[in-house]
Amino acid sequence: MKKFNLSVAFLLFLGGYCLQAQERIPQVEALLEKMTLEEKIGQLNLLTPGGGIATGSVVSEDVEAKIKAGNVGGVFGVSSPERVRQAQELAVKNSRLGIPLLIGSDVIHGYKTTFPIPLGLSSSWDMDLIRETAKVAAKEATADGINWNFSPMVDISRDPRWGRVAEGAGEDAYLGSQVARAMVQGYQQEDLSEPNTMIATVKHMALYGAPEGGRDYNRVDMSRTKMFNEYLPPYKAAVDAGVGSVMTSFNDIDGVPATGNKWLLTDLLRERWGFNGFVVSDYTSVNEMIAHGMGDLQDVSAMALKAGLDMDMVGEGFLTTLKKSVEEGKVSEEEITTAARRILEAKHKLGLLDDPYKYSDTSRPETDILTKENRDLARLAATQSFVLLKKKDNILPVSKKAKIALIGPLANNQSNMLGTWAPTGDFTLSVPVLEGFRNVAPSAKITYAKGANITNDTALAKKVNVFGSKVEISNESSEQLLQGALKVAKASDVVVAVIGEASEMSGEAASRSNIQIPESQKRLLRELVKTGKPIAVVLMSGRPLDISEEMEMPVSILQVWHPGVEAGNAIADVVFGYVNPSGKLTMSWPRNVGQVPVYYGERTTGRPAPTQEFEKFKSNYLDVKNSPLLPFGHGLSYTNFQYSEIKASKENLRSVDSLKISTTVTNTGKLEGQEVVQLYIHDKVRSITPPKKQLIDFKKISLAPGESKTVEFQVTVEDLKFYNSQLEHVAEPGEFEFFVGGTSDCEMQGSFTLTE
Ligand code: BGC
C-alpha cells in the first residue's frame, strides 16, 4: 500500500513536472526568477507617448523615464525602424533587466496601404482576399517597427446607429467567425518569430457591438444563450485560430465591466476556450471602472488583475496601485507573476528576447511599404467590397464614350477616402474619384461639380473634424453649389453622384440617431433626379444608411463604403465595367431607424407577422414593414444569376454522417460575374427558440456569360449545433429546413431530418 502511494506521488510529481516543462519557457522563467515585484508590475504597463511621436521626438519625457526604470512593458503610437530602435534601446540599455518592449498599433484596415474599411472588406465574402490584406498589413507594419496589432475587431453589430459597425464584419456570427480567423491567420501566419508577422489582438471582448441605443461605450445586457449563439463565436474563432492577445471592451456584461469580469476573462476565455495568450485592457478601461461604480483606482486595478487582465492600457492603475495591493493582501504576487509571464511569453514568441531590434531594419520600409503590389491589392479589395444595391435600366456600367457629369461633395475629395480608423495611413496618398475616372477613362469627357457640402450643419462638421478637416463647408452658398451642379448635369449624358458620409461620421464615438444621407446631399440628389438624366449614385458610408427615399428614385446605387487608398481607381474600375460588382451586404439596411435592430437571424416569435400586410395582434408595426430595406446577403451584379436544381442528397442525416446540398447557378446575362451562393437553415423544433434563418455556409463563384456551375455544400451535425440553455453545444434531432440563394431573403427549398 505504502509502495503504491509512493509511486502515485512520484507519478503526480512527474506529471506536474512534465506539464510545467511543456508549458513554461525556460528563458521566461529565468527572467521571472530575477525580477522584483516592481519589475513584474512594469511589464503590465502599456503606454503611448501620443503626440510626441507625430511631431518627431522619440518618446515624451515621462514615458522615456518610465521605460528606463523598467516600468513599461509596451508602447503604442511609436513607429519607424529608427524610432522603434530608440525606444527599444531605452529599455534594453537602461532598464535593469533590459527586457524589450511590445510595440503596438491600431492597424485596422491596412497600415500605409489602406484597404477598405472592415465592414466593406467583409462584404467581399472572400476570405482569401481578407487574409491577404491582413498579411500585407503585417508586412508593412512590421517593416515600420510594429510587432503587435490591435486588430481584428470582431464585435457583432446589428445597430447601424453605432459608429463602430464600420470596424467589424457585420451582423452574423458565422460570417464574422470566418473573417476573424482569416485576419488572425493573415497577421500572425505560421510563425510569429518571422519578422513580417505580428501578434494579433481580437477585440473588444466582449459584446461591445450591442450597446443600448447604439450609443458608443454604453451598457450591454444580453442573455447567455444569445451571447453564446450570436455574439461570442467570432472571438472564439480568433482564439481557436491562435490569436496572441485579447482586448477587453468598455461595456459591462451582467453588470460587471468586461475589464474586471472574471467570468469573461478567466472562466470563459481561459478555462472554457483554452486561451493562453495575454489580455490587454482597452484605453483606460481599468480606470473607467471607477465611473462604472466599482470602487477607487486601487480597487478596480486589483479587480481587473484578479479577473484575468494582464496589461493595463494607458491608465497606469496597475503601475501605481498593485504593489500596495500586494502589501495589503488584496492581490497575490503569484497573480502578478502570472500576468507578467504572459507578457514575457508574447515577447518570446516574437523572438524579441533574443533580438530586441528585429523590427528595426531600416531597409524594409522602402521595399515593403506602399509597393505597387500592395496598392494593386488595395484596388482589387476595394472593387470586391462594393455592393450594387439597386439597378435601374443599364445606367451602370457607364460608357466611356458618354459625357459624364461627376457630381457630389465626395466626388473630388481626398480626405475621406481612407475611412475611419486609418491612423497609420496618409490620406494625401489616396486617389480621389475624379482622378480615378481620368486614370481609367483618359479620353472620356468628364465634368465635375461639388453640388453640395457633405453637411451644412456647422456644429456636426466641428464634431466630425476632430482628426483633421473631413467636412469643409464651402464659401459658395448652397444655392450656388446646386446651380453649378445642375448646369453640369444638364449638359451631360449621365450623372455619377458621389455622396454619403464623411469618414468620421462613423467610427469610434461617432454614433448617429439619424442614419440618413445628410440633408444637404439628399436635396442635391432630388434636384439632379428632376433633370431626368440617368443617375448612378456612388454611395460612401461607414454604416448601413436609411436610404428609403433614394431607393424609390429612378437611379442605380453602388455602395462603396470608404474604399481606402485606391478609392478613385477602384470606383472607376467598377463604374466603367472593368470589374463587375459582387459584394453582398453583411449588415441589413433598415427602412428607418425605428426598426433597429433589424437583422436576418432574428429568433421566432409566437405571433409571426405576415410577410406583406399589417395584421392586428401580430408582431408588426403600424407604419413600416418588418423586413429590412435591404437584407443581409443582398448585392446585385451587372449580370444575372439563376438558381436551379436545389436539392439535398438525402432526407435523413445521422449524427455520424453528412449530406450534400447542391444547386446549379447559371449566369444568364452578357457579362462575366461573381456570385456568393449562400446556404441557410432553420431548425424547426428545438429546446430554445431558433433563428428564423441561420447562415451555415457560402461559396463565392465566378461565371462566364451563359456558364453554369454546380455548387455543393457538405452539411454535418456540427453545422446544426447551437448552445442550449445549459450552454452545451448540441444538435437536437428533428427537421431542418434549408434555403439557398444569393441573399438571406431566399426561399425555403426543402428539408431534411437529423436522426439520433
Ligand atoms: C479603442 C480600441 C483601440 C485603442 C487603442 C480605444 O479607444 O476602443 O479599439 O485599439 O483605443 O488605440
Side-chain angles (χ1 to χ4, degrees), residues 522-538:
K522 283 173 82 79
R523 172 168 176 252
L524 168 66
L525 192 59
R526 283 185 207 117
E527 296 301 319
L528 288 171
V529 166
K530 286 185 197 155
T531 64
K533 297 287 178 182
I535 298 176
V537 175
V538 171

Side-chain angles (χ1 to χ4, degrees), residues 76 106 150 164 203-204 247 250 282-283 313 421 508:
F76 66 106
D106 286 279
F150 305 152
R164 298 195 83 170
K203 71 187 190 185
H204 306 81
M247 188 186 292
F250 289 118
D282 203 345
Y283 210 105
M313 190 193 287
W421 264 119
E508 188 167 349

Side-chain angles (χ1 to χ4, degrees), residues 205-241:
M205 178 95 179
L207 320 181
Y208 182 37
E212 275 182 16
R215 207 172 68 223
D216 208 358
Y217 317 126
N218 208 0
R219 66 198 73 82
V220 172
D221 209 347
M222 192 183 285
S223 72
R224 287 279 159 101
T225 50
K226 189 171 174 104
M227 277 183 213
F228 273 71
N229 286 305
E230 303 173 35
Y231 280 77
L232 294 176
Y235 309 104
K236 180 169 187 302
V239 169
D240 291 344

